[in-house]
Amino acid sequence: MRKTLLSLLIISSIFAEAQVKPTSATDRLKSIELRKQLSQQSLANKTEFSNIGPSIQSGRVVDIEVNPADPTEFYVAYATGGLWHTVNNGMSFNPIFDSEDIIGIGDIAVNWKTRDIWVGTGEVNSSRSTYAGLGVYKSNDNGKTWTWLGLADSHHIGEIKLHSTDPNTAWVAVLGHLYSPNKERGIYKTTDGGKSWKQTLYVDENTGAVDLDINPANSNELYAGMWYRTRKAWNFEESGKSGGIFKSTDGGETWQKISVEGAGFPTGDGVGRIGLAIYPKNPNIVYAVVDNNEKRAARTTTTSSDTSAYTLDLFKGISKEQFAALDNKKLTAFLRNPRNRVPAEYTAENVKAGVASDKYAPNVLWDYLYDANAAITAAEVKGCELYRSDDAGKTWKKTHTDPINIYSSYGYYFGKVFVSPINENNVVLTGVDLLLSNDGGKKFKSIGGPTVHSDHHSFWFSNTKDNHVINGNDGGLNMSYDAGKNWSKLNTPSVGQFYAIEVDMAKPYKVYGGLQDNGTWVGPSINRENIRWHSNGSYPFKSIGGGDGMQVQVDWRDNLTVYSGSQFGAYSRQVLGAPVTAGRGGGANMNSVRPSRALGESALRFNWQSPILLSRHNQDIFYFGSNKFHRSLSKGDSLVSMSGDLTTNPQQGDVPYGTLSTMSESPIRFGLIYTGSDDGLIHVTKDGGYSWNNINGKLPKGLYVSRVVASKFKESRVYVTLNGYRNDYFNALVYVSDDYGNTWKQIAKDLPYESVNVIREDPTNENILYIGTDGGLYVSLNGGNSCMMWNKGLPYSIPVHDIAIQPRDNEIVLGTHGRSLYIAGLGEIQKAAK
């Protein structure tokens, strides 16, 4: 959202704003020692976790580093999956960063002469699932041991560049905090191998370095892409005039902004994320891709003489007279557009009649269809643009005349350019699609294929044959030897990024889960990864939905009726294995279970991971959370709003906000239901949704309620976890109430500074609690008075997004955001608690 609009955005209730400050680097570093203490001599670590996959769907790749002398050896860095090494051209990989205190990576660099590996933690793709790092690490023994090199408050690192001849000199592009301003941004330089750092380029506390490139023939010449961006829970400001291209000719000691007025590169408030690439054979040739947030020319007007199709913007400020003058055929086409999902009962004639009679306001269609997500994906900005300089950055020229439509206003997630080391005209751009130009950026063609996932972040050209390429994307890693005509898929690591998981009661039971940009999958709990499935073509895990996979609910009566879906509440019900039929809301045995509203009613707001819930008391009863609580008595076929707005109803930016984020029904008492919202409210109903009470009490205000869990042991007991990730506040906050939320007590106070995502009770012992944080899994054997880490068989640090307990088999399943699914028995934990 533009800054002029952002200045008008005022959160309507002070109550909604979190009164916390970002967690300091000092406190986060203290957590490293605390984590070690909670791991050492942990009784829980008598039991080891086993990974059950899946590997068929991978996770987001952020960087690739290939041995220039032997391209069958390379390293792959994942956003939250760690660092992996292969010496057999990707046929198999070994993780080499699993023992460290942080697993999320922004960039890596390898000195192939000395075999030093540098890792910058915290990715720069500024999304909802972008985790803060702890600075820079280095290894000189291929990852057996690592040394932490500092820059703890960098949070997100865009690039590391190494001096061509001096192994002790390196530069790091630091983007800085995601959700708060900080001064530890810009370019940092070391001349002693990382023992000390000097900040040599700083613009301001909201402008960080997102990319960096170096002249391979002259290490004194560097280019930096500086990016102004701010993100709040409710709004993302993707660009600003302080961003641009900076250059140094003295080894990064001093910098000068070269993307100035008259140089040919965009300037002003529209300058978004920037990616840079120097052509090695002629370093005077520099490519720069920019996410240009300047508006495109308007394509619609509010007059009936307009010959183009109607778009949503037409109805934003339309008057009663202008609405009456709309063309009925074009209005009908707009209403029946499947993307708009306007119910068939609303026709051009009766909507116009409703506006004419003042039943509806003239902007009724805008109010009905607008949501914050649409503001992101439908914004008419210029988006991806490629510029080239042939004089070492003095002047720039846009390479193309046609738009490059690989991202619109979400270029913050992409923004990289790659040039062949042997042909200046072979250029690749990464975005939703993967584009190759063979003429220096004049024209592009898609080189993605049926085995290549969308959303691309990294690319590599061979330095001897540039038809040999490797691509990293949200679905993992692909390799081609014919410049993208044919691709192999290199997805042996289990590095899926799970948002939510569920289990059923089949024998053996199945595990269901939604993954970041990889849909929803189901597979057997007894699965252990084995490549033998290639011989019969049947992988144990199966896809049951697309998009960004979100929450899943399973009817335990048949273990076949499944509720699942994708982002912003797009959920459906299906019966696994049933014939493909045209159900309500789509085909393929899918029946939409998303709540709707009548034209003229206030808009519903949907969380990225909208909560859904089946009542275990009667599994025909289905609950859905928007900003309201909805109930169906018929498996979701009809949903009734059972509440008013259960959030603070804040003013809206361009990120959906003021939504329910979690729900829980008491396993003991039907109709005792709790909700939590992303703006910090907690409510309870004791009568199935007919009446509600706010039970926040003295809990910290305005934080994301990541879980509310009604106890299975005591009717009046309920647990709450609060998550300050969207404030760069990482303190672990866990609470319990024994009186339906009238009063709260903080527990698990000895947890490290890691945002808490989930809490679950043990199936048999009320004193045992399992807590998942952005750093791992913790167990309390005494009701939260103290905790221990349970990480045997897991990476030392891994975000645990969800926990499922299978009570019949007495097992726990972890849905990790970066290393797929893990499973373990609970018997030893329960013995230790006695």
Side-chain angles (χ1 to χ4, degrees):
M1 179 175 286
R2 296 301 333 122
K3 196 180 302 182
T4 54
L5 294 178
L6 183 64
S7 65
L8 300 176
L9 184 66
I10 302 174
I11 297 302
S12 60
S13 171
I14 296 177
F15 184 79
E17 298 187 54
Q19 304 298 307
V20 296
K21 295 181 179 180
T23 302
S24 69
T26 301
D27 283 341
R28 293 186 71 206
L29 291 174
K30 288 179 182 177
S31 288
I32 294 175
E33 295 304 315
L34 180 55
R35 184 207 296 267
K36 291 178 181 177
Q37 295 172 21
L38 296 180
S39 178
Q40 292 170 355
Q41 299 179 344
S42 168
L43 296 176
N45 278 334
K46 292 180 180 179
T47 301
E48 184 171 3
F49 278 94
S50 297
N51 185 274
I52 64 169
S55 62
I56 194 169
Q57 279 297 353
S58 189
R60 185 162 63 252
V61 172
V62 294
D63 197 18
I64 306 161
E65 291 291 334
V66 182
N67 187 338
D70 178 10
T72 65
E73 180 189 15
F74 52 91
Y75 296 88
V76 182
Y78 291 86
T80 52
L83 179 61
W84 297 71
H85 179 223
T86 180
V87 292
N88 54 23
N89 211 31
M91 294 179 64
S92 65
F93 292 85
N94 291 315
I96 62 171
F97 199 58
D98 281 8
S99 61
E100 296 314 298
D101 304 301
I102 203 82
I103 201 168
I105 297 176
D107 189 64
I108 59 174
V110 180
N111 186 327
W112 293 100
K113 297 176 183 177
T114 64
R115 303 294 302 199
D116 287 340
I117 307 170
W118 300 63
V119 174
T121 58
E123 68 165 324
V124 296
N125 304 315
S126 302
S127 71
R128 294 170 178 84
S129 55
T130 295
Y131 288 90
L134 271 172
V136 180
Y137 292 76
K138 187 169 74 168
S139 174
N140 58 14
D141 54 11
N142 202 45
K144 293 179 182 178
T145 60
W146 293 88
T147 301
W148 178 69
L149 302 182
L151 301 183
D153 217 26
S154 58
H155 281 206
H156 303 281
I157 289 177
E159 193 75 29
I160 300 175
K161 289 298 179 185
L162 308 180
H163 196 284
S164 60
T165 58
D166 180 4
N168 290 315
T169 297
W171 300 263
V172 175
V174 172
L175 186 56
H177 293 188
L178 178 54
Y179 284 95
S180 57
N182 72 309
K183 295 182 178 180
E184 293 78 7
R185 301 176 186 260
I187 302 297
Y188 285 80
K189 180 181 180 180
T190 180
T191 56
D192 55 12
K195 296 177 182 178
S196 63
W197 295 91
K198 178 183 178 183
Q199 186 184 37
T200 62
L201 174 57
Y202 172 76
V203 175
D204 62 47
E205 61 185 7
N206 289 311
T207 305
V210 67
D211 204 6
L212 178 69
D213 208 358
I214 187 170
N215 182 343
N218 179 6
S219 293
N220 284 322
E221 189 172 69
L222 300 101
Y223 298 83
M226 301 297 288
W227 179 23
Y228 173 92
R229 63 102 170 89
T230 66
R231 183 159 194 163
K232 301 295 182 184
W234 58 88
N235 194 81
F236 197 147
E237 191 180 7
E238 301 94 342
S239 62
K241 61 185 178 183
S242 58
I245 303 173
F246 288 71
K247 182 179 180 179
S248 174
T249 57
D250 57 5
E253 292 294 326
T254 61
W255 297 83
Q256 181 180 2
K257 190 172 186 177
I258 59 174
S259 58
V260 294
E261 291 287 342
F265 195 81
T267 58
D269 286 334
V271 177
R273 179 171 173 169
I274 293 172
L276 299 163
I278 298 173
Y279 177 55
K281 285 191 172 183
N282 180 1
N284 285 328
I285 298 174
V286 185
Y287 286 96
V289 63
V290 60
D291 176 28
N292 192 337
N293 279 259
E294 293 179 5
K295 295 288 186 180
R296 290 181 179 175
R299 296 187 295 180
T300 61
T301 68
T302 55
T303 68
S304 58
S305 61
D306 181 22
T307 58
S308 64
Y310 291 157
T311 62
L312 181 58
D313 282 344
L314 170 74
F315 301 98
K316 183 177 182 180
I318 194 170
S319 69
K320 187 174 181 179
E321 294 73 22
Q322 288 171 327
F323 202 103
L326 293 174
D327 181 84
N328 277 19
K329 289 184 178 180
K330 288 195 284 184
L331 182 56
T332 297
F334 176 83
L335 295 173
R336 299 288 77 83
N337 187 328
R339 291 184 178 180
N340 292 329
R341 292 188 295 209
V342 178
E345 63 189 90
Y346 300 110
T347 66
E349 290 76 15
N350 63 32
V351 173
K352 291 180 77 172
V355 173
S357 66
D358 296 324
K359 178 181 179 181
Y360 304 135
N363 64 347
V364 63
L365 291 176
W366 168 266
D367 286 341
Y368 187 80
L369 295 173
Y370 175 82
D371 63 56
N373 188 52
I376 299 174
T377 58
E380 293 295 325
V381 300
K382 293 179 179 179
C384 179
E385 291 184 334
L386 181 65
Y387 290 80
R388 172 171 164 162
S389 174
D390 290 293
D391 53 12
K394 294 178 182 178
T395 60
W396 300 86
K397 183 177 181 181
K398 191 165 74 167
T399 65
H400 53 99
T401 55
D402 296 332
I404 302 175
N405 294 312
I406 55 174
Y407 42 82
S408 177
S409 59
Y410 47 104
Y412 61 82
Y413 193 57
F414 308 107
K416 300 282 283 187
V417 57
F418 302 86
V419 60
S420 162
I422 57 177
N423 187 334
E424 67 187 75
N425 292 313
N426 289 347
V427 183
V428 162
L429 294 177
T430 55
V432 175
D433 200 359
L434 182 66
L435 300 183
L436 170 67
S437 174
N438 298 122
D439 58 9
K442 295 182 178 68
K443 299 291 182 181
F444 287 90
K445 63 179 180 180
S446 172
I447 58 171
T451 62
V452 180
H453 196 283
S454 62
D455 293 359
H456 304 269
H457 303 283
S458 188
F459 199 82
W460 170 83
F461 281 105
S462 167
N463 60 1
T464 58
K465 180 185 178 184
D466 61 3
N467 281 347
H468 176 198
V469 295
I470 305 176
N471 166 232
N473 50 61
D474 271 15
L477 199 66
N478 296 88
M479 181 181 291
S480 175
Y481 285 92
D482 52 17
K485 294 179 182 178
N486 298 278
W487 292 93
S488 62
K489 198 171 183 71
L490 309 178
N491 274 11
T492 55
S494 294
V495 286
Q497 296 172 295
F498 277 88
Y499 283 120
I501 60 172
E502 184 56 283
V503 296
D504 65 16
M505 296 296 286
K507 293 184 178 180
Y509 70 89
K510 299 185 293 295
V511 181
Y512 305 73
L515 294 102
Q516 189 276 327
D517 208 34
N518 281 278
T520 304
W521 291 74
V522 57
S525 58
I526 59 174
N527 180 58
R528 299 296 183 269
E529 287 296 285
N530 194 312
I531 62 172
R532 289 178 182 173
W533 73 270
H534 288 280
S535 63
N536 60 31
S538 180
Y539 188 78
F541 275 79
K542 307 297 181 184
S543 172
I544 59 172
D548 280 89
M550 296 295 159
Q551 295 191 8
V552 182
Q553 290 288 286
V554 185
D555 192 326
W556 285 356
R557 296 172 299 185
D558 63 8
N559 300 308
L560 294 173
T561 302
V562 179
Y563 301 76
S564 63
S566 55
Q567 60 269 37
F568 300 118
Y571 286 101
S572 299
R573 185 188 72 247
Q574 63 179 303
V575 179
L576 299 183
V580 175
T581 58
R584 182 172 66 86
N589 185 34
M590 293 285 193
N591 294 274
S592 174
V593 293
R594 179 187 173 101
S596 60
R597 62 190 175 99
L599 202 66
E601 291 183 354
S602 60
L604 299 176
R605 298 186 299 273
F606 297 93
N607 193 279
W608 175 254
Q609 188 187 148
S610 296
I612 58 173
L613 188 65
L614 273 183
S615 174
R616 294 304 178 193
H617 300 281
N618 179 346
Q619 294 181 78
D620 286 341
I621 298 177
F622 173 74
Y623 304 125
F624 193 116
S626 61
N627 56 313
K628 301 178 180 180
F629 176 83
H630 309 269
R631 185 187 71 185
S632 171
L633 302 178
S634 55
K635 300 182 178 181
D637 283 340
S638 60
L639 283 155
V640 177
S641 297
M642 299 295 294
S643 75
D645 197 328
L646 295 176
T647 76
T648 63
N649 190 25
Q651 291 286 329
Q652 293 297 295
D654 61 4
V655 177
Y657 185 61
T659 66
L660 294 187
S661 51
T662 179
M663 299 188 300
S664 180
E665 183 177 38
S666 168
I668 301 173
R669 175 180 169 182
F670 173 69
L672 173 57
I673 303 166
Y674 299 87
T675 67
S677 70
D678 62 2
D679 56 354
L681 294 192
I682 304 167
H683 284 86
V684 63
T685 177
K686 297 180 181 179
D687 54 15
Y690 290 97
S691 61
W692 294 86
N693 290 315
N694 184 315
I695 56 172
N696 282 76
K698 296 182 179 180
L699 292 174
K701 303 298 188 292
L703 295 177
Y704 191 103
V705 184
S706 54
R707 280 299 188 283
V708 56
V709 176
S711 174
K712 63 178 63 120
F713 296 102
K714 184 178 180 180
E715 181 185 308
S716 62
R717 181 175 297 161
V718 59
Y719 297 91
V720 161
T721 61
L722 303 179
N723 188 308
Y725 163 84
R726 291 153 190 81
N727 306 85
D728 290 325
Y729 177 78
F730 306 120
N731 298 36
L733 300 176
V734 184
Y735 299 86
V736 65
S737 172
D738 277 318
D739 55 9
Y740 302 99
N742 290 320
T743 60
W744 295 96
K745 173 187 175 183
Q746 186 175 0
I747 59 175
K749 294 181 181 180
D750 57 345
L751 288 176
Y753 289 94
E754 298 167 359
S755 299
V756 179
N757 300 313
V758 59
I759 184 171
R760 300 289 183 203
E761 291 180 311
D762 185 82
T764 62
N765 187 329
E766 65 178 312
N767 292 315
I768 303 176
L769 300 173
Y770 305 97
I771 301 170
T773 76
D774 283 349
L777 176 67
Y778 298 85
V779 183
S780 174
L781 305 182
N782 51 20
N785 290 329
S786 62
C787 297
M788 63 186 73
M789 196 170 192
W790 187 6
N791 59 355
K792 189 174 183 180
L794 303 175
Y796 185 62
S797 171
I798 184 68
V800 176
H801 259 224
D802 203 1
I803 298 171
I805 304 291
Q806 219 289 353
R808 185 198 64 219
D809 291 38
N810 201 31
E811 290 185 334
I812 185 172
V813 183
L814 306 183
T816 73
H817 200 77
R819 294 298 280 271
S820 297
L821 301 171
Y822 287 87
I823 193 168
L826 297 175
E828 291 298 320
I829 298 286
Q830 292 160 348
K831 289 179 183 179
K834 291 181 179 179

